[in-house]
Amino acid sequence: PRELLAVQRHVPAPVRYQYSTSGYFNNYLIEHWTFGGIDEGLLRFSATLAPACLEPHFADGARAIGNNLDWDQAQWQDKVYLERLLDPAILMTPMATLLLALGLAMKESGQNSIAVDALVGCHLEGRLDVTLLQTSLGELATMPLTKWSRYTKSFRRALQLEPSIAPVVFNLLCSMLNAARDSPPKDVAQTIELLQEVKLTNAYELPSQTRLTLRAWKCGGRLRTLQKALLAEE
């Protein structure tokens, strides 16, 4: 709602775009709603304006980081959004959880590390809504926006930092696989390897939906070998 202070902090910044159709140029004025721009200090300040209503702040972060997962532009200031998730007093609301899910898929190692730390911290502090994160990851996993290999790397790092997060990682991996039930993603082999490691180390059983997904996949080569090995253990 526009009456919320957390929304009013945004100011319209008119940007004029020009494009050509059949040799004729047309000008269009588009309003971009922004706050702080690329200034790290202003981005930090924006989170203090309405501390009881941080969903718009985290929505800003999800937009900024989601549009730069491959680090096409060096937006160092975006780490501010992820660092906010490290605060033990922050509730993992839907936008905060989406921001975390996107941060775990970041290419830039610094911001990705902050997201991994936030995942571990939220788990240890009892702030993590696993079901909500499963939903976010399930939606992102089916998009070309994200790469499975980066999620696998993030989860491995989380397990190294805090082994007790194993059941959370296992459930998240299974949710991602369930979302890709139509066909295996190109870089899913490393994910299957991690799933197998976590499963064997902790004597977990694959959920029935995950088994059905794996059986339905038509794959070959190394992925076929991993698929058969994982299903043979059941």
Side-chain angles (χ1 to χ4, degrees):
R2 290 290 297 274
E3 62 270 16
L4 292 177
L5 281 175
V7 176
Q8 290 184 16
R9 68 187 183 174
H10 294 73
V11 294
V15 179
R16 188 173 297 279
Y17 287 92
Q18 187 180 71
Y19 75 97
S20 173
T21 56
S22 302
Y24 294 95
F25 285 92
N26 301 279
N27 289 312
Y28 279 84
L29 190 66
I30 301 177
E31 285 189 344
H32 284 267
W33 294 88
T34 60
F35 185 95
I38 61 173
D39 187 280
E40 184 175 324
L42 282 178
L43 289 178
R44 293 188 188 281
F45 173 67
S46 73
T48 69
L49 294 180
C53 185
L54 287 174
E55 278 291 81
H57 178 74
F58 292 133
D60 288 346
R63 174 199 56 78
I65 289 179
N67 284 328
N68 198 31
L69 291 180
D70 289 333
W71 203 237
D72 299 315
Q73 296 179 330
Q75 302 291 340
W76 301 107
Q77 72 281 354
D78 289 349
K79 68 178 182 179
V80 169
Y81 297 111
L82 293 167
E83 288 174 344
R84 202 75 181 88
L85 300 177
L86 299 173
D87 187 341
I90 294 299
L91 298 177
M92 293 306 292
T93 52
M95 284 296 103
T97 303
L98 177 60
L99 173 61
L100 175 61
L102 288 165
L104 293 171
M106 274 291 295
K107 178 179 181 180
E108 201 281 311
S109 59
Q111 294 184 14
N112 177 264
S113 294
I114 297 173
V116 173
D117 288 343
L119 174 66
V120 172
C122 289
H123 163 66
L124 293 175
E125 295 155 1
R127 294 187 290 128
L128 188 64
D129 189 329
V130 179
T131 301
L132 193 56
L133 184 55
Q134 284 178 304
T135 300
S136 295
L137 287 175
E139 293 174 351
L140 292 172
T142 59
M143 299 179 183
L145 182 74
T146 57
K147 291 182 172 61
W148 284 59
S149 57
R150 291 182 193 164
Y151 278 122
T152 304
K153 182 179 178 181
S154 294
F155 292 145
R156 280 193 181 279
R157 178 59 178 157
L159 288 166
Q160 291 171 354
L161 293 173
E162 181 51 54
S164 71
I165 204 172
V168 173
V169 169
F170 182 77
N171 288 329
L172 293 176
L173 291 173
C174 289
S175 295
M176 291 175 64
L177 290 178
N178 295 343
R181 54 184 172 272
D182 295 332
S183 61
K186 293 181 180 179
D187 55 346
V188 75
Q190 296 178 31
T191 306
I192 298 297
E193 283 184 334
L194 178 60
L195 178 63
Q196 186 178 33
E197 291 175 20
V198 176
K199 177 182 178 299
L200 292 175
T201 302
N202 300 276
Y204 295 147
E205 291 187 5
L206 287 177
S208 57
Q209 182 57 55
T210 305
R211 291 198 300 271
L212 290 174
T213 297
L214 287 169
R215 289 195 181 101
W217 281 358
K218 295 181 180 180
C219 46
R222 176 174 170 235
L223 182 56
R224 174 60 176 168
T225 302
L226 291 170
Q227 176 194 38
K228 292 176 63 177
L230 188 56
L231 290 174
E233 296 162 3
E234 291 298 305

